[in-house]
Amino acid sequence: MSTEHDTWALRGDLLDFTGLPAWGDLQPAQLRWRPSHWLLVRGSRIEAVQAEPPGPEWRRIDHAGRLVMPGFIDTHVHSPQLDVLASYGTELLDWLENHTFPAEARYADERVAQRGAERFVQALVNHGTTAALAFPTVHESATHALFDAAHRMDMRLITGKVLMDRHVPANLLDDVTNAEQACRRLIRRWHGIGRCAYAVTPRFAPTSTEGQLAMAAGLLREDPSLYLQSHVAENQAEVQWVRELFPQSRSYLDVYASGGLLHRRTVLAHGIWLDDIDRHALHEAGATIAHSPTSNLFLGSGLFNWQQAQAAGVRVAVASDVGGGTSLNLLRNLAAAYQIQALLGQRLTAWSALHAITLGAAQALDLDDEIGRLEPGCTADITVWDWAQEPVVQHRLSLARSLHERVFAWMTLGDERLLRSVVVAGRERLLPAGASSQPTSNRSI
Ligand code: GUN
Ligand code: ZN
């Protein structure tokens, strides 16, 4: 379908949220289910949502019987790490050294970075993700390339040059002064340009000196509209290392908290190994944990206690954390999130799960007036899904006795192959299967 900037209307079964569903509630008031409704889109925005068909001036695109949701929002993902997906054999710190840092070093080459950025942005879309908070690499030019690729697609993309001035290979090291200057150039060039915004991005406490963390905090103080993204308390060896590197800090989180790095636009990946005082500090700051289920399982990092975090008032979004995570598709990550909670003796509803990649993620980014909802005035970032394609899944869904049962089975069994349309700021951006923007290798082993 052509959705060049014009007026058009899309029909389907609309599912979104108006607030945070209570833990375990199968029929929350915050669930908004509008079967067989029309979404009216003018230019890049949703103009209306209605049950009645629109007038003849609206071009109609009929997805009757399909599921329509806001575009998914990935609150933690690494663009260069498509190159290290499914790397065998290691936990976090060895994985960084043996797989990730060598891959990221290749992004010093501007052509590698540019092609990687384009591949990444299209891959997000092809997995149903229309907005992301992403890590690029330490390189200013690679960060620029990522902004540029997203900007050309009018995608909501928040990123920022990775800061690391110790404990990484020499070809990935920066220093406080040069890093600050690069940040300032990138902020001037991209923060608030189109749908781009800047995130100050210290990789994690072990790879930044106190001087570099202080520089990062200074940028946030100067402009609180900047984001802050990092990692916290992912892996027990990492936590122990932080204890040794920052003996004066009460905890890993406290390195960031007392360093002035927590605010309502702070998103920290993982947060598995936190305590009550840490959770209280996150709640007070309005900061978010980007729970990354497939990554936590793949790297053997641990089981994030979502219910405990939510009970403490901590905002929780779900993220892919590719390439520690094994899929850009956030449904795959929600299925893993359910299994993690099950191992903790808890049950994650489809509503809590889907909220965490739509409205909940939008709130984490302070962008819920723009994304995460199917609401007049919001940007038209929309996904359209088949409920099922394979006979076994079709059969299972046909037996569902409630909306929750049906949506939960869809979420657990589905993936990006069910996508029928992905609209970014009013334009269709899903590339048909097989129409990859880059040739795949057909080399035989
Ligand atoms: N901690 C610091 N860097 C990384 C990274 O790239 N991935 C993950 N999962 N954890 C990290
Ligand atoms: Zn990560």
Side-chain angles (χ1 to χ4, degrees):
M1 86 192 172
S2 154
T3 52
E4 289 305 299
H5 278 182
D6 60 2
T7 54
W8 51 278
L10 178 153
R11 176 165 61 170
D13 297 338
L14 273 47
L15 193 158
D16 68 348
F17 298 90
T18 57
L20 175 65
W23 188 266
D25 188 350
L26 295 178
Q27 293 180 316
Q30 298 83 2
L31 167 67
R32 187 160 53 179
W33 169 241
R34 292 172 288 184
S36 193
H37 272 57
W38 290 90
L39 265 175
L40 277 55
V41 176
R42 184 184 299 278
S44 62
R45 286 183 189 273
I46 298 172
E47 182 160 301
V49 184
Q50 59 192 50
E52 318 75 51
E57 69 278 22
W58 296 85
R59 192 162 50 83
R60 295 186 193 183
I61 301 164
D62 201 348
H63 284 292
R66 293 200 168 116
L67 179 61
V68 178
M69 290 196 64
F72 293 167
I73 303 164
D74 194 341
T75 46
H76 183 77
V77 57
H78 298 254
S79 60
Q81 293 183 14
L82 293 185
D83 297 12
V84 296
L85 275 165
S87 292
Y88 174 78
T90 50
E91 281 202 7
L92 175 66
L93 299 176
D94 288 341
W95 176 83
L96 286 171
E97 193 175 319
N98 294 321
H99 301 293
T100 308
F101 290 151
E104 294 192 9
R106 292 197 286 273
Y107 273 57
D109 180 332
E110 288 189 25
R111 274 178 322 168
V112 170
Q114 192 189 331
R115 280 206 300 269
E118 283 165 9
R119 182 190 307 117
F120 174 73
V121 167
Q122 186 64 55
L124 287 180
V125 167
N126 285 1
H127 288 78
T129 295
T130 57
L133 174 58
F135 275 58
T137 60
V138 71
H139 312 101
E140 182 178 354
S141 55
T143 309
H144 180 78
L146 181 55
F147 272 127
D148 193 52
H151 188 54
R152 278 185 273 124
M153 203 183 269
D154 207 7
M155 175 190 276
R156 175 46 90 172
L157 194 279
I158 305 167
T159 188
K161 178 196 127 53
V162 176
L163 300 171
M164 26 193 199
D165 66 345
R166 62 170 169 172
H167 299 141
V168 293
N171 58 359
L172 287 172
L173 263 185
D174 61 11
D175 62 67
V176 178
T177 310
N178 285 317
E180 177 168 5
Q181 286 168 359
C183 287
R184 289 186 185 282
R185 282 190 294 271
L186 286 162
I187 290 166
R188 269 198 304 278
R189 172 68 186 86
W190 288 111
H191 188 54
I193 300 301
R195 303 184 76 195
C196 296
Y198 197 84
V200 179
T201 306
R203 182 175 208 115
F204 65 156
T207 50
S208 284
T209 58
E210 289 185 35
Q212 193 175 57
L213 295 176
M215 181 273 282
L219 292 172
L220 288 192
R221 262 197 316 278
E222 256 177 56
D223 183 354
S225 74
L226 294 170
Y227 292 83
L228 186 290
Q229 61 175 343
S230 193
H231 299 85
V232 72
E234 173 178 3
N235 165 290
Q236 285 178 299
E238 170 211 20
V239 172
Q240 177 56 31
W241 194 19
V242 172
R243 215 173 274 137
E244 290 158 18
L245 292 170
F246 297 89
Q248 74 288 5
S249 294
R250 194 200 67 81
S251 66
Y252 189 160
L253 185 91
D254 186 46
V255 174
Y256 302 141
S258 47
L261 294 172
L262 295 191
H263 70 165
R264 56 179 287 109
R265 290 188 169 198
T266 295
V267 178
L268 300 174
H270 308 299
I272 297 168
W273 306 101
L274 299 176
D275 63 18
D276 287 343
I277 299 174
D278 294 328
R279 281 184 282 273
H280 182 68
L282 288 168
H283 166 67
E284 288 279 293
T288 296
I289 291 294
H291 171 38
S292 304
T294 64
S295 170
N296 296 166
L297 293 174
F298 184 75
L299 294 175
S301 301
L303 306 175
F304 172 70
N305 194 324
W306 186 336
Q307 184 184 22
Q308 193 178 37
Q310 185 164 324
V314 178
R315 303 207 235 186
V316 178
V318 166
S320 72
D321 191 31
V322 157
T326 48
S327 176
L328 282 179
N329 180 228
L330 288 168
L331 295 180
R332 306 292 355 104
N333 282 282
L334 296 184
Y338 177 84
Q339 292 164 12
I340 288 175
Q341 297 316 303
L343 284 168
L344 291 167
Q346 292 153 192
R347 293 294 177 264
L348 176 70
T349 67
W351 311 137
S352 291
L354 290 167
H355 174 268
I357 59 168
T358 55
L359 178 62
Q363 286 168 335
L365 302 178
D366 225 359
L367 291 173
D368 43 315
D369 55 351
E370 175 192 319
I371 55 176
R373 296 180 296 151
L374 300 174
E375 182 95 14
C378 287
T379 300
D381 286 354
I382 302 162
T383 50
V384 181
W385 304 82
D386 276 336
W387 285 97
Q389 284 167 356
E390 293 160 26
V392 169
V393 183
Q394 278 166 353
H395 169 73
R396 170 64 188 95
L397 292 185
S398 74
L399 297 176
R401 291 152 302 171
S402 68
L403 181 63
H404 184 268
E405 188 175 339
R406 187 165 176 219
V407 173
F408 181 77
W410 168 78
M411 175 188 105
T412 303
L413 302 173
D415 63 29
E416 65 279 5
R417 287 168 292 187
L418 297 176
L419 269 174
R420 284 294 148 267
S421 174
V422 180
V423 175
V424 179
R427 294 184 189 217
E428 176 63 54
R429 295 295 189 179
L430 180 65
L431 274 188
S436 147
S437 55
Q438 285 162 3
T440 50
S441 163
N442 57 4
R443 183 169 57 96
S444 56
I445 296 173

